[in-house]
Amino acid sequence: MMSDLSKRNKVSDGLLGNYRYLCKKSMTIRAMESAVPRKKRQDVNAASNRRRRKKKKRARSLCEPLELNALMKKAKLVEPNPDSTLNSAPEPHRHSVMAVLRDSWEVDSGFSESSPPASGRSSPCLGPSPPAASVVALDCEMVGTGPGGRCSALGRCSIVDYHGNVLYDKYVRPCQPVTDFRTPWSGIRRHHLHNAVPFAQAQEEILAILEGKVVVGHSIYNDFEALNMDHPSHMVRDTSTTRHLRRLAGFPHGRRSSLKLLANKLLNRRIQAGRRGHCSVEDAQAALDLYKLAQGAWEQEMERRLGDEPTVHSSDHYMQDEFWPDEVLADGP
């Protein structure tokens, strides 16, 4: 009886071992069979990627000679030299090409040699743009007044020109006592306001600078509110709301991004970093450089919005008769 039982156990163990061996063998065969098509797919994808990269490289190589030929033709038109001989032609031709390249850089990018773009990206000026002398960038820092510092008041104002040079940078003493300097954000401390300019005087000086200018800024209507001023909407460029910068940064539609994020993404520039708070000069320069990235498309869009109205950069045109009421004109000489 016991011998029969031991024989059965041996037979069952042998069958179980065979079964396990066959299972492992089948799994190994399946893995080897599935690895072959996977390797083929990887090879096909790698080959397609190589072909795609070659096509892009070939397209770029075809475009570059065309652009250079266009610049050469433009150079010949800009600096014609009919009296030059074959021996003397190369030198002025080389200078003319360099001049055209330099001019195309300044026109296309909106940056001059004194203020190159940090990101290397630029926006072609497809339409008429305001002259550099009529563009400024504004940024203001706020302090808190009233109970708990809940009311915002102007504490510092900075204005830079198109090339980033500082036109105005002063601390401003609010009309009401300051209850919260908001130093982590404003960068303003108590001693900054000891010899600060009174608000009324600062407002008059700032309005004189902004008169007739295209004003660039980030969330700039908050700054206008702190200055208690209005500016014509067609002469305001707010970098927080334009879709052109949002597209350049790859942000989704409807998203309003901070100046810090846009500067980091598009200019490769870190601002508002550290514990000293914001610097209004630095923020104004960042907003200005962001505007330059999208200047061409932005100004073309503004031109379309205005329609048939002339694009002007001062309020002098409102003195023409067409903007005056009939009864006023009737009383004239």
Side-chain angles (χ1 to χ4, degrees):
M1 185 71 179
M2 292 296 293
S3 61
D4 293 341
L5 184 60
S6 61
K7 287 181 181 179
R8 289 177 185 173
N9 289 336
K10 288 180 181 180
V11 171
S12 62
D13 290 341
L15 292 175
L16 183 60
N18 291 337
Y19 175 75
R20 288 175 179 171
Y21 171 77
L22 292 174
C23 287
K24 289 181 180 180
K25 193 70 175 177
S26 62
M27 291 174 64
T28 304
I29 294 172
R30 273 199 216 102
M32 292 176 64
E33 290 176 349
S34 62
V36 173
R38 189 184 307 117
K39 184 67 168 59
K40 288 183 179 179
R41 285 197 300 270
Q42 291 175 354
D43 293 341
V44 169
N45 292 335
S48 63
N49 289 335
R50 284 196 297 271
R51 286 195 297 271
R52 195 178 299 112
R53 284 195 295 269
K54 286 182 180 178
K55 287 181 180 178
K56 288 182 179 180
K57 190 174 181 180
R58 194 180 302 116
R60 281 197 299 267
S61 63
L62 290 174
C63 290
E64 287 174 358
L66 293 176
E67 293 177 358
L68 184 58
N69 290 335
L71 290 174
M72 298 278 281
K73 290 180 182 178
K74 185 177 178 182
K76 292 178 182 178
L77 293 175
V78 170
E79 295 186 10
N81 193 5
D83 299 331
S84 62
T85 62
L86 292 175
N87 295 329
S88 61
E91 187 63 23
H93 181 66
R94 183 176 64 84
H95 288 301
S96 63
V97 172
M98 293 302 295
V100 172
L101 287 170
R102 183 173 62 253
D103 294 342
S104 65
W105 160 253
E106 295 207 2
V107 171
D108 290 346
S109 66
F111 289 87
S112 65
E113 293 179 355
S114 60
S115 61
S119 65
R121 304 173 71 174
S122 61
S123 172
C125 290
L126 302 176
S129 293
S134 67
V135 178
V136 296
L138 167 74
D139 190 78
C140 297
E141 302 297 343
M142 314 299 175
V143 293
T145 62
R150 293 187 182 91
C151 299
S152 295
L154 182 65
R156 182 184 178 185
C157 180
S158 300
I159 304 174
V160 299
D161 65 10
Y162 187 81
H163 303 290
N165 303 315
V166 178
L167 300 177
Y168 187 91
D169 182 28
K170 291 184 180 180
Y171 290 98
V172 181
R173 185 170 67 249
C175 301
Q176 302 296 326
V178 178
T179 55
D180 185 0
F181 289 93
R182 302 178 182 176
T183 305
W185 300 276
S186 68
I188 299 174
R189 301 179 184 274
R190 185 181 300 274
H191 68 273
H192 289 141
L193 300 186
H194 286 167
N195 298 318
V197 179
F199 174 77
Q201 178 185 341
Q203 184 188 41
E204 184 178 351
E205 294 170 351
I206 294 165
L207 289 176
I209 296 174
L210 300 184
E211 176 66 27
K213 298 289 195 302
V214 174
V215 184
V216 180
H218 194 82
S219 298
I220 195 169
Y221 287 99
N222 295 330
D223 299 336
F224 289 155
E225 184 178 355
L227 288 165
N228 194 22
M229 64 165 286
D230 292 320
H231 202 69
S233 60
H234 70 279
M235 298 173 68
V236 175
R237 305 293 183 267
D238 194 335
T239 56
S240 70
T241 59
T242 178
R243 60 191 176 91
H244 302 292
L245 290 177
R246 188 172 61 246
R247 286 178 178 176
L248 283 177
F251 294 150
H253 175 72
R255 173 175 174 177
R256 182 174 292 194
S257 301
S258 65
L259 180 63
K260 180 178 181 178
L261 185 60
L262 285 173
N264 186 38
K265 180 77 173 179
L266 296 177
L267 302 176
N268 194 24
R269 185 185 307 175
R270 290 186 67 224
I271 63 172
Q272 301 174 359
R275 299 180 179 179
R276 296 186 176 182
H278 300 186
C279 174
S280 51
V281 173
E282 182 183 56
D283 291 353
Q285 291 171 341
L288 179 69
D289 287 344
L290 288 171
Y291 162 74
K292 290 178 182 180
L293 287 179
Q295 180 179 359
W298 201 341
E299 294 302 331
Q300 194 177 43
E301 180 186 40
M302 293 299 296
E303 190 76 11
R304 286 198 301 267
R305 285 185 183 179
L306 291 174
D308 297 333
E309 296 182 16
T311 303
V312 293
H313 306 291
S314 69
S315 57
D316 296 340
H317 71 293
Y318 289 115
M319 299 302 294
Q320 299 176 7
D321 291 345
E322 59 182 299
F323 295 101
W324 287 77
D326 294 337
E327 56 270 17
V328 175
L329 295 175
D331 295 338

